[in-house]
Amino acid sequence: MPASIEPADILSIDHLNLRYGNRQILRDISLSVRQGEVVVLLGASGCGKTSLLRSINLLTQPQSGRITIGGEAIFDRSEQGVDRLRLGAKQIERIRARTGMVFQQFNLFPHMSVLRNVAEAPVIVGGMTRDQAEQEARDLLLQLGMEAHAEKRPAQLSGGQQQRVAIARALAMKPAVMLFDEPTSALDPELVGEVLRAMVALARSGMTMVIVTHELGLAFEIADRVVFLDGGEIAADGPPAEILLAPKHPRVASFVARFHESIDMLKPFLETA
């Protein structure tokens, strides 16, 4: 029998360091994400989760380290600050298109229809024809249950609907990796479920995802791995049940204890799964 082939790493981060002034935000972070893998980043506020996510698509520029996506180096800077790649603005724009980003706030263009919000980047950045971009945008809106709202403006939508449009917009560029930064934190509680359901469907379709969230239920539902950051360092990395139900690191145990009710609710399901 031939040996099974492990999925290749689609994202690789090596010895990443980020400082703001004298404050060390990320400290020697190394992390790999396989094709089709879903990784959830957890940790207390200020631990570096969002900074790590923003570094992956170069919205934030670390002081040193290396980042590759699909085998292509997108950032490579020595500890002495020497930029080994010297990428221009257009190259960085192309790279960002490979990492679809969904933010806490929806950041939709208020003067554009839902359809145009989704179709615009493939035309302007990707060079796609308007007709093709709009057809693909309609397909994505259908996938996310938003096809009936294609001609509406963002202000006519609920927060959950706007976030699903933001997900469609990120997917329109056919990214190698989808990045989510607390995608439900700005939503009213009754709207969280519709966004989480969209993310679960996306994960089950095989999309590679890195997610910053406090929704532990989402971590149990779709994460292949949970990575816990503490003080800008990786304190734990492993399967959700191992990290969240039997934490070995004291900071992880303290964090999880604050969500003990949701964990206790999940234990019977996990024991019988």
Side-chain angles (χ1 to χ4, degrees):
M1 294 286 292
S4 60
I5 299 174
E6 290 292 326
D9 289 341
I10 192 69
L11 170 65
S12 182
I13 301 167
D14 297 295
H15 304 292
L16 207 66
N17 289 281
L18 173 66
R19 293 184 305 277
Y20 292 146
N22 293 325
R23 185 182 172 205
Q24 189 84 25
I25 306 299
L26 299 175
R27 191 184 308 273
D28 200 35
I29 294 285
S30 292
L31 177 69
S32 294
V33 179
R34 298 190 307 274
Q35 178 77 45
E37 190 173 31
V38 177
V39 174
V40 168
L41 302 179
L42 293 178
S45 297
C47 70
K49 306 183 301 294
T50 292
S51 294
L52 177 56
L53 213 63
R54 290 174 64 86
S55 295
I56 291 171
N57 72 349
L58 304 182
L59 289 175
T60 295
Q61 291 278 333
Q63 274 68 42
S64 65
R66 181 179 171 88
I67 304 172
T68 63
I69 295 179
E72 178 185 7
I74 67 168
F75 179 83
D76 192 353
R77 186 169 292 166
S78 72
E79 292 182 3
Q80 292 73 37
V82 177
D83 184 355
R84 300 186 178 101
L85 297 179
R86 297 179 178 275
L87 297 177
K90 287 188 176 180
Q91 290 171 294
I92 290 174
E93 188 177 73
R94 177 182 60 81
I95 288 164
R96 282 186 185 144
R98 301 188 65 198
T99 54
M101 185 90 168
V102 178
F103 299 89
Q104 297 178 29
Q105 301 297 331
F106 322 121
N107 296 333
L108 300 176
F109 296 113
H111 62 289
M112 292 184 182
S113 68
V114 163
L115 180 65
R116 193 173 168 195
N117 262 281
V118 178
E120 196 70 5
V123 173
I124 301 301
V125 179
M128 193 179 291
T129 66
R130 176 70 60 181
D131 286 348
Q132 182 183 357
E134 290 193 354
Q135 182 55 57
E136 292 192 7
R138 289 186 186 279
D139 292 342
L140 287 169
L141 292 171
L142 177 63
Q143 176 185 330
L144 289 160
M146 291 298 297
E147 71 281 7
H149 306 282
E151 303 305 328
K152 291 181 181 179
R153 299 288 178 89
Q156 297 174 278
L157 306 178
S158 70
Q161 290 171 331
Q162 289 187 60
Q163 193 62 293
R164 281 187 282 161
V165 175
I167 293 171
R169 180 181 59 184
L171 288 170
M173 291 301 292
K174 300 180 174 61
V177 182
M178 282 285 286
L179 309 175
F180 292 85
D181 184 18
E182 294 281 9
T184 60
S185 66
L187 300 178
D188 293 333
E190 63 269 22
L191 301 177
V192 168
E194 64 187 79
V195 175
L196 295 183
R197 285 191 291 274
M199 293 175 66
V200 169
L202 193 58
R204 290 176 177 168
S205 75
M207 173 61 70
T208 307
M209 302 164 69
V210 181
I211 306 167
V212 171
T213 184
H214 283 102
E215 299 284 349
L216 296 191
L218 181 66
F220 277 107
E221 180 72 23
I222 66 173
D224 298 295
R225 286 161 55 208
V226 167
V227 175
F228 189 92
L229 272 66
D230 179 44
E233 299 180 299
I234 294 178
D237 181 351
E242 175 186 313
I243 300 300
L244 299 176
L245 295 183
K248 298 179 176 64
H249 193 284
R251 290 287 290 167
V252 182
S254 175
F255 178 86
V256 170
R258 290 187 288 142
F259 299 91
H260 65 277
E261 290 184 2
S262 58
I263 294 293
D264 288 342
M265 288 170 56
L266 284 163
K267 277 184 178 178
F269 168 76
L270 294 167
E271 289 167 358
T272 58

